[in-house]
Amino acid sequence: KEKTLAIIKPDGVNGNYVDVIKKTILGSSFSITQEMQLQLNVNTVKSFYAEHASKSFFSGLVQYMTSGPVVIMVLEKENAIADWRALIGPTDANIAKVTHPKSVRAFCGLDLQRNCVHGSDSPQSAAREISFFFEKSSSA
Ligand code: ATP
């Protein structure tokens, strides 16, 4: 079976969406094989999102992702990477509300930045992101 990394971002945890998101995950045939709640620090977020370092939204993204605790999970099922991306919907929660009203971002996201969840976008990212948080004691 395939694994992907899911993050419930600070707006999701702060808005009390953890239980409903986990129910959605389990009700969509994923297993949650690892899970932890933690407060990310600036260096961890900068390293996790290194591919976005040159983007105009990067400093806002770092501020947002360090604004409160996150819940980080490894999800497992056949086709987990694409299926979790489909379940969460488009990056911009305001667009998700219109085009994918049943998606996770439609019900818990706020806008383009505060979109309440993350999902790995490829097998390469999933492998990197899972080892970033769960298989290296020094990174989180
Ligand atoms: P994620 O990687 O978190 O699952 P994604 O693949 O849909 O989301 P990316 O393009 O990788 O989106 O951007 C990473 C995160 O940066 C987004 O989830 C969002 O929180 C934030 N972000 C992306 N684009 C913008 C933007 N134009 N303005 C503000 N924040 C943004």
Side-chain angles (χ1 to χ4, degrees):
K1 289 197 182 151
E2 190 173 67
K3 292 180 186 180
T4 192
L5 188 89
I7 302 178
I8 305 178
K9 298 181 179 185
D11 57 318
V13 175
N14 191 44
N16 281 313
Y17 289 111
V18 173
D19 287 347
V20 65
I21 292 170
K22 285 173 66 177
K23 273 188 196 137
T24 302
I25 289 168
L26 297 171
S28 305
S29 316
F30 293 89
S31 317
I32 300 172
T33 58
Q34 308 214 63
E35 180 181 352
M36 62 180 170
Q37 176 162 328
L38 75 168
Q39 169 69 50
L40 299 177
N41 66 40
V42 167
N43 286 336
T44 301
V45 174
K46 283 184 173 171
S47 167
F48 183 75
Y49 279 122
E51 65 176 306
H52 294 309
S54 63
K55 308 271 174 69
S56 59
F57 61 80
F58 188 66
S59 61
L61 177 61
V62 172
Q63 199 169 22
Y64 160 53
M65 289 298 294
T66 56
S67 66
V70 296
V71 172
I72 305 182
M73 294 172 284
V74 176
L75 311 186
E76 199 168 317
K77 77 188 278 289
E78 305 281 345
N79 209 35
I81 296 168
D83 285 1
W84 173 237
R85 295 279 292 185
L87 194 59
I88 66 182
T91 304
D92 188 337
N94 287 317
I95 291 175
K97 287 176 205 293
V98 178
T99 64
H100 296 72
K102 292 181 177 163
S103 67
V104 173
R105 283 168 168 163
F107 74 73
C108 71
L110 297 168
D111 53 33
L112 174 56
Q113 177 187 71
R114 293 172 298 166
N115 56 8
C116 101
V117 283
H118 165 81
S120 309
D121 63 6
S122 68
Q124 291 74 20
S125 327
R128 171 188 169 265
E129 293 175 0
I130 290 167
S131 63
F132 186 94
F133 284 115
F134 289 102
E135 286 151 31
K136 277 192 311 183
S137 56
S138 59
S139 59

